[in-house]
Amino acid sequence: MPRSRRSTKRPYGAEHVDLDLDRATGGRRSESAADGEWVVQQVRGSDREYRCPGCDQVVAAGTAHVVAWRSDGLFGEAVDDRRHWHASCWQARARRRPTRR
């Protein structure tokens, strides 16, 4: 016997809400540049410090930044090579080469 009560999750008279792609993809996007194909993700902050390859300075814990890795790697090993960048350093990487240690 069917229930007489309708679902309250989305009432039948309500309008459809469009999908938020940033939220659905976790903020990941693909970027194509002269240095290759990249998967880029915005990160609000974390409890760890990272060293930015663009300026060789510390990305402080809790600081919003960018995590990037090559998308053209085979079998997912490119995810192991992901790097944490300051957002401004990531944007300027075409004008400035990454530092070497």
Side-chain angles (χ1 to χ4, degrees):
M1 180 169 209
R3 291 183 171 212
S4 62
R5 196 175 82 197
R6 289 188 174 186
S7 172
T8 59
K9 291 187 179 184
R10 186 179 139 225
Y12 289 97
E15 288 192 27
H16 175 72
V17 178
D18 288 333
L19 178 65
D20 182 6
L21 287 178
D22 263 351
R23 187 172 174 203
T25 61
R28 291 182 183 175
R29 65 184 186 277
S30 295
E31 287 188 16
S32 180
D35 57 349
E37 297 285 328
W38 296 88
V39 176
V40 181
Q41 182 174 2
Q42 295 286 338
V43 179
R44 291 183 185 166
S46 67
D47 54 349
R48 288 185 49 192
E49 290 184 342
Y50 298 97
R51 182 143 319 256
C52 175
C55 65
D56 202 30
Q57 299 295 314
V58 172
V59 178
T63 304
H65 60 280
V66 173
V67 179
W69 63 93
R70 290 194 172 276
S71 63
D72 54 2
L74 297 175
F75 306 114
E77 71 266 3
V79 174
D80 295 336
D81 294 332
R82 64 183 173 238
R83 297 290 174 254
H84 296 254
W85 296 68
H86 293 107
S88 59
C89 293
W90 176 253
Q91 295 298 321
R93 75 186 190 286
R95 297 187 307 266
R96 183 177 62 203
R97 303 304 292 165
T99 57
R100 306 250 189 240
R101 291 192 117 198

